[in-house]
C-alpha cells in the first residue's frame, strides 16, 4: 500500500514538473522553475540502549538507536513568477515516519505542497501544506547549526496547513498572519470546528542580525473537550564575526486546564547555540537548552515534577566537498525526575552519539 501511495505521489510530482516546465518556456524570463533534492543518512547510539531501538519519545529526528537509517530524503519542485509561486516536495525517512504518524497515510510523504499569488506590490497569499512559521530549525539538517534539533523545535510545529498573508514592506521587515488547521496538522482534528491562528514578525536591522517573533492561538482537541492553547516563540540569529555566530531563542506556551477554565498550565524552553567556523570546511557548534513542562501539556512523563530537563550538545562538522556535509554530535539530557529508560530501570540522564552524512543539489 505504501509503495502504491509513493508511486501515485511521484506521478503527481512528475505531472506538476511537466506543467511548470511547459509554462517556464514562456518568453517571460521572470518565470523560473527549479528542482532540488536533499538526503541525510545517520547512525545514532544511545548509551541507555533502548531495547526497541527507539530513542526517547519526544525526539522525532535521528531517533533510531544503533542502526543505520535515513532521517530525510526529499525531492522538491519550486516555481516562481511575478504573480504566482508554488512548491511541491515529497519525502521519506524516519522523520516522516514518526513526526507525521498521526496524519493520513497519503500525506505522510508530503514535505510541502502550496501555491501562492501576489495580490499587492509586496503582499502574497499562500495556501496549502507549508513549513511552520515557528522556530529557527527545520527537518533539513544542513540548514541547522547543530546536527540534532533542539527540544524546543522537536516539540513545536515543523509544518502547518492553512492560508497565510505576508507583507514585506522593505528588506528589513516581514509581517505574516495565518489561518491554520491546528498545531502541526494537515488534517483538522476530528470533532473540531475551532479555527487556529498564527502570526510572525521578522526584523533584520542589518545583514548580520535577524530577530523573529512568532505566535500561535488555537485548540488541537475536539470541541467537546476544547482547551485553548497560546504559544509564543522569540529568537534571534547573530553573526558576530565572519567566523562566529550565535542563536538565542525562548519558547513559552499556556493551555487551559479544562474546557472553559480560567486556569492555565504553562511550559517554556530557552535555548542558546554558538557556532564557530574554524575554516571554510570545518565548524564546531555547542548548545545549552532547558525544557520545562511540569504539567505534561506537550511532554507527559507522569512523574511528580513533570518534564524538567537540561540539555547539552557539542557537534563537529566537516564539508569534504561542495554540497556534502558530515557531522558528529554528542548530546546529554539531565532530567529532574527519572524519566529515561535504561534497561529495566529508570534514570535521570540520557546520553547519545550521532553521526550524519547529508548531500543535496
Amino acid at each position: 500500500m505504501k509503495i502504491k501511495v509513493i508511486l501515485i505521489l511521484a506521478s503527481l510530482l512528475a505531472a506538476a514538473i511537466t506543467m511548470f516546465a511547459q509554462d517556464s518556456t514562456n518568453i517571460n524570463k521572470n518565470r523560473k522553475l527549479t528542482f532540488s533534492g536533499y538526503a541525510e543518512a545517520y547512525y545514532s547510539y544511545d548509551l541507555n540502549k533502548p531495547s526497541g531501538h527507539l530513542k526517547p519519545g519526544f525526539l522525532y529526528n535521528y531517533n533510531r538507536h544503533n542502526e543505520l537509517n535515513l532521517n530525510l530524503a526529499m525531492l522538491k519542485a519550486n516555481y516562481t513568477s511575478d504573480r504566482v509561486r508554488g512548491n511541491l516536495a515529497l519525502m521519506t525517512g524516519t522523520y516522516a515516519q514518526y513526526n507525521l504518524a498521526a496524519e493520513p497515510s497519503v500525506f505522510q510523504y508530503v514535505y510541502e505542497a502550496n501555491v501562492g499569488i501576489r495580490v499587492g506590490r509586496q503582499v502574497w497569499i499562500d495556501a496549502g501544506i507549508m513549513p511552520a512559521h515557528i522556530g529557527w530549525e527545520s527537518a533539513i539538517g544542513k540548514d541547522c547549526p547543530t546536527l540534532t534539533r533542539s527540544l524546543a523545535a522537536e516539540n513545536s510545529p515543523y509544518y502547518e496547513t492553512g492560508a497565510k498573508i505576508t507583507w514585506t514592506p522593505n528588506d528589513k521587515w516581514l509581517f505574516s498572519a495565518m489561518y491554520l488547521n491546528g498545531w502541526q496538522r494537515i488534517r483538522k482534528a476530528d470533532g473540531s470546528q475551532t479555527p487556529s491562528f498564527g502570526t510572525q514578525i521578522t526584523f533584520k536591522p542589518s545583514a548580520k542580525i535577524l530577530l523573529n517573533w512568532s505566535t500561535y492561538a488555537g485548540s488541537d482537541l475536539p470541541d467537546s473537550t476544547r482547551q485553548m492553547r497560546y504559544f509564543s516563540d522569540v529568537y534571534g540569529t547573530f553573526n558576530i564575526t565572519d567566523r562566529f555566530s550565535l542563536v538565542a531563542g525562548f519558547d513559552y506556551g499556556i493551555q487551559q486546564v479544562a474546557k472553559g477554565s480560567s486556569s492555565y498550565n504553562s511550559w517554556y524552553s530557552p535555548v542558546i547555540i554558538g557556532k564557530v567556523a574554524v575554516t571554510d570546511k570545518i565548524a564546531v557548534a555547542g548548545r545549552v537548552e532547558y525544557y520545562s513542562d511540569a504539567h505534561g501539556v506537550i511532554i507527559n512523563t507522569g512523574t511528580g515534577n513533570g518534564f524538567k530537563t537540561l540539555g547539552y550538545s557539542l557537534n563537529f562538522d566537516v564539508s569534504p566537498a561542495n554540497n556534502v556535509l558530515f557531522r558528529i554530535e554528542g548530546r546529554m539530557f539531565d532530567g529532574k525526575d527519572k524519566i529515561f529508560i535504561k534497561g529495566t530501570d529508570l534514570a535521570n540522564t540520557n546520553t547519545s552519539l550521532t553521526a550524519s552524512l547529508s548531500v543535496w543539489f
Side-chain angles (χ1 to χ4, degrees):
M1 176 63 183
K2 288 187 176 181
I3 294 176
K4 186 176 180 180
V5 170
I6 292 173
L7 291 173
I8 292 172
L9 290 171
S11 298
L12 291 174
L13 178 58
I17 289 171
T18 301
M19 178 186 68
F20 285 139
Q22 290 173 348
D23 190 52
S24 66
T25 60
N26 190 291
I27 194 170
N28 187 345
K29 294 182 180 180
N30 290 324
R31 299 182 181 184
K32 183 170 67 172
L33 177 66
T34 59
F35 307 97
S36 59
Y38 179 78
E40 184 175 18
Y42 73 96
Y43 174 85
S44 187
Y45 190 87
D46 187 329
L47 270 64
N48 285 358
K49 301 178 182 179
S51 59
H53 292 272
L54 190 61
K55 294 168 67 176
F58 52 82
L59 301 176
Y60 300 92
N61 287 277
Y62 319 100
N63 63 345
R64 298 290 298 175
H65 158 69
N66 194 25
E67 64 181 39
L68 284 166
N69 221 312
L70 185 69
N71 189 62
L72 176 67
M74 179 179 64
L75 180 64
K76 177 176 178 178
N78 167 261
Y79 176 77
T80 58
S81 70
D82 289 338
R83 296 294 303 275
V84 177
R85 63 189 181 189
N87 298 282
L88 180 59
L90 305 180
M91 67 175 173
T92 189
T94 56
Y95 161 79
Q97 177 185 357
Y98 290 98
N99 199 44
L100 284 82
E103 301 291 355
S105 59
V106 70
F107 290 123
Q108 291 175 5
Y109 306 97
V110 180
Y111 183 83
E112 64 176 313
N114 53 75
V115 295
I117 183 170
R118 184 170 62 82
V119 296
R121 188 170 176 223
Q122 300 292 341
V123 180
W124 285 82
I125 295 178
D126 297 275
I129 303 169
M130 300 170 283
H133 68 289
I134 292 169
W136 61 91
E137 295 171 300
S138 73
I140 302 175
K142 74 176 182 65
D143 296 335
C144 301
T146 57
L147 191 165
T148 59
R149 303 298 91 82
S150 65
L151 290 173
E154 292 281 56
N155 297 282
S156 62
Y158 279 110
Y159 63 90
E160 58 197 16
T161 304
K164 71 175 179 178
I165 183 169
T166 304
W167 176 44
T168 51
N170 51 50
D171 293 338
K172 293 186 177 182
W173 289 94
L174 177 146
F175 301 89
S176 288
M178 303 94 184
Y179 177 93
L180 304 170
N181 282 350
W183 176 269
Q184 186 164 262
R185 280 191 177 272
I186 294 178
R187 183 182 65 181
K188 201 172 182 67
D190 292 339
S192 174
Q193 302 298 331
T194 303
S196 296
F197 301 95
T199 65
Q200 182 177 21
I201 300 174
T202 299
F203 176 51
K204 297 180 181 178
S206 71
K208 293 187 175 183
I209 298 175
L210 182 148
L211 304 174
N212 184 93
W213 178 36
S214 299
T215 69
Y216 169 88
S219 175
D220 208 42
L221 297 170
D223 290 342
S224 59
T225 57
R226 179 176 59 228
Q227 295 167 257
M228 293 302 295
R229 177 178 297 178
Y230 305 96
F231 182 80
S232 175
D233 163 68
V234 178
Y235 70 86
T237 61
F238 309 91
N239 295 315
I240 309 299
T241 70
D242 292 339
R243 295 290 184 182
F244 176 64
S245 60
L246 195 68
V247 178
F250 184 80
D251 285 0
Y252 180 79
I254 59 173
Q255 181 170 287
Q256 283 179 307
V257 172
K259 183 178 181 180
S261 174
S262 59
S263 298
Y264 290 81
N265 292 323
S266 65
W267 72 98
Y268 64 92
S269 180
V271 185
I272 187 165
I273 301 170
K275 183 174 183 179
V276 177
V278 181
T279 70
D280 293 339
K281 300 289 186 180
I282 298 174
V284 178
R287 169 177 55 201
V288 179
E289 59 184 329
Y290 182 71
Y291 199 100
S292 176
D293 186 5
H295 301 283
V297 178
I298 304 297
I299 306 174
N300 188 6
T301 65
T303 59
N305 291 297
F307 189 84
K308 294 184 177 180
T309 300
L310 187 63
Y312 312 89
S313 71
L314 181 67
N315 71 274
F316 178 75
D317 301 349
V318 179
S319 180
N322 292 335
N323 299 343
V324 177
L325 180 62
F326 172 77
R327 314 179 92 172
I328 186 166
E329 178 186 273
R331 189 176 194 181
M332 178 180 178
F333 296 124
D334 187 358
K336 188 169 185 178
D337 291 342
K338 293 184 177 181
I339 58 175
F340 301 104
I341 298 174
K342 187 174 183 179
T344 58
D345 299 321
L346 293 175
N348 293 82
T349 61
N350 177 267
T351 303
S352 62
L353 185 67
T354 304
S356 74
L357 179 66
S358 56
V359 297
W360 61 93
F361 65 88

